[in-house]
Amino acid sequence: KTKQRIYRKDVANSYHHFLCLLGTGLVVSEDEKWRKGRIFLTHGLRYDLVEVVPSVAYPAVGRMIEMVKAMPRSGIDMAETFRCVLLQIIADLIISFSPEESDALFPRMYLPIVTEANRRVWAPWREYMPWLEGCQQQKRCLDELNGALVQVIRNRVTLRANEAASKQ
């Protein structure tokens, strides 16, 4: 918080392939934009809101443990399992999705985007070959994920408007 100016972010190399997910917000911003974003985020992450995280995380980890117990030992991809649990926790905290809603949406859309971004870190030339299946899948998933999230936001705005109208 106090020494952020000492460390510069290597957006051009380290974050470049992930900007399609990260955008230009707090994670990749610097200087005054970072400071303003940090202040904005601090107001949004009040202690009482952060206090809810364990009540969401513990059940998610419990579900993961049960799922892993039921899988054959040779068929467990722990990295993918942890990503899915993290997506469930984030989806619950940010947009109040149930684990089933999260599992139906995010692994199918988010994970291929990250997979292709990781491939591009090690093979940057992939970015300039949009005909590759991974590149096409990433674009499709980004479009679908953006569309799904915009629809969730629209539905919530409509729901709140209807609730407000019914109270009057």
Side-chain angles (χ1 to χ4, degrees):
K1 179 180 175 182
T2 58
K3 298 182 181 182
Q4 86 276 3
R5 288 186 182 93
I6 295 173
Y7 305 101
R8 303 306 293 175
K9 296 176 183 172
D10 184 17
V11 176
N13 294 312
S14 300
Y15 293 104
H16 174 73
H17 300 293
F18 296 91
L19 290 176
C20 58
L21 285 172
L22 297 173
T24 58
L26 188 63
V27 173
V28 297
S29 63
E30 299 270 20
D31 303 322
E32 187 61 22
K33 185 175 180 182
W34 178 88
R35 191 185 68 72
K36 286 181 180 180
R38 177 87 168 51
I39 290 169
F40 181 73
L41 182 66
T42 302
H43 293 300
L45 291 177
R46 297 185 326 262
Y47 181 75
D48 58 319
L49 295 176
V50 175
E51 203 172 47
V52 175
V53 173
S55 67
V56 173
Y58 289 145
V61 171
R63 287 188 304 273
M64 180 191 75
I65 290 169
E66 293 305 314
M67 183 183 74
V68 168
K69 284 181 182 178
M71 295 173 98
R73 296 278 181 234
S74 62
I76 299 174
D77 180 352
M78 288 308 293
E80 179 117 353
T81 302
F82 279 112
R83 275 190 225 110
C84 289
V85 169
L86 182 59
L87 288 170
Q88 284 179 2
I89 294 167
I90 292 169
D92 188 347
L93 292 170
I94 304 296
I95 52 180
S96 303
F97 266 21
S98 70
E100 296 77 23
E101 289 172 308
S102 174
D103 287 348
L105 183 69
F106 293 116
R108 183 174 51 83
M109 289 185 227
Y110 175 82
L111 295 177
I113 297 167
V114 172
T115 299
E116 178 60 25
N118 282 323
R119 285 182 188 142
R120 290 178 183 187
V121 168
W122 298 107
W125 50 265
R126 291 181 66 87
E127 181 179 8
Y128 305 105
M129 302 179 96
W131 59 85
L132 295 174
E133 177 53 35
C135 297
Q136 292 177 4
Q137 183 182 23
Q138 184 188 46
K139 183 176 178 353
R140 281 192 307 271
C141 289
L142 271 169
D143 291 344
E144 193 175 342
L145 181 60
N146 285 331
L149 292 174
V150 165
Q151 191 58 47
V152 167
I153 292 167
R154 285 183 179 147
N155 290 346
R156 302 278 170 89
V157 167
T158 301
L159 181 65
R160 284 203 173 175
N162 290 342
E163 287 174 355
S166 68
K167 288 181 182 179
Q168 292 180 351

